[in-house]
Amino acid sequence: VQLQASGGGLVQTGGSLRLSCTASGFSLDDYVIGWFRQAPGKEREVVSCSSGIDGSITYSPSVKGRFTMSRDNAKSTVYLQMNSLQPEDTGTYHCATYGLGFSCDYDMDFWGKGTLVTVSS
């Protein structure tokens, strides 16, 4: 079982990217899923999270209004649409889960390999 993030790349300021996080070996239905990022020399921060209880989605204030998280349970994939990208959005983006039927209040303990996003100024 694994999570795999993809879709990163190099983009100019103001550009867009869509990241995907695909689960293999299990279905994402009712799993809490979070997107996280870590910039070089900085601590990891949560970007967005989809609850495994009611599917509600929360965002970090730094990305709210620019990023949109969504799920496609049939494809066991969650997406992160990132618009109006800024240099401070640069970092490695990971998806992670804590398990089935949990809220976003838990520390994720199952992590996928990340994908690098670089926003040039």
Side-chain angles (χ1 to χ4, degrees):
V1 294
Q2 65 176 355
L3 291 171
Q4 177 70 57
S6 61
L10 174 64
V11 64
Q12 292 185 334
T13 296
S16 298
L17 284 173
R18 188 177 80 157
L19 306 184
S20 299
C21 170
T22 300
S24 58
F26 69 104
S27 171
L28 285 177
D29 290 27
D30 299 326
Y31 272 72
V32 58
I33 294 288
W35 280 102
F36 298 79
R37 68 185 180 190
Q38 187 165 20
K42 295 187 178 181
E43 292 188 357
R44 185 172 60 208
E45 62 173 334
V46 60
V47 175
S48 64
C49 183
S50 175
S51 169
I53 296 175
D54 59 7
S56 59
I57 298 172
T58 55
Y59 298 93
S60 164
S62 62
V63 307
K64 195 170 185 179
R66 300 188 297 123
F67 291 12
T68 302
M69 182 178 181
S70 61
R71 288 179 181 255
D72 185 339
N73 287 333
K75 295 182 178 180
S76 289
T77 300
V78 295
Y79 302 98
L80 186 67
Q81 177 66 43
M82 307 186 296
N83 299 328
S84 302
L85 283 162
Q86 303 297 315
E88 52 266 34
D89 295 316
T90 294
T92 299
Y93 285 69
H94 297 264
C95 55
T97 184
Y98 184 78
L100 179 66
F102 289 94
S103 72
C104 293
D105 294 331
Y106 291 82
D107 291 333
M108 308 298 180
D109 64 356
F110 184 71
W111 293 80
K113 186 177 179 181
T115 186
L116 178 63
V117 172
T118 304
V119 184
S120 63
S121 58

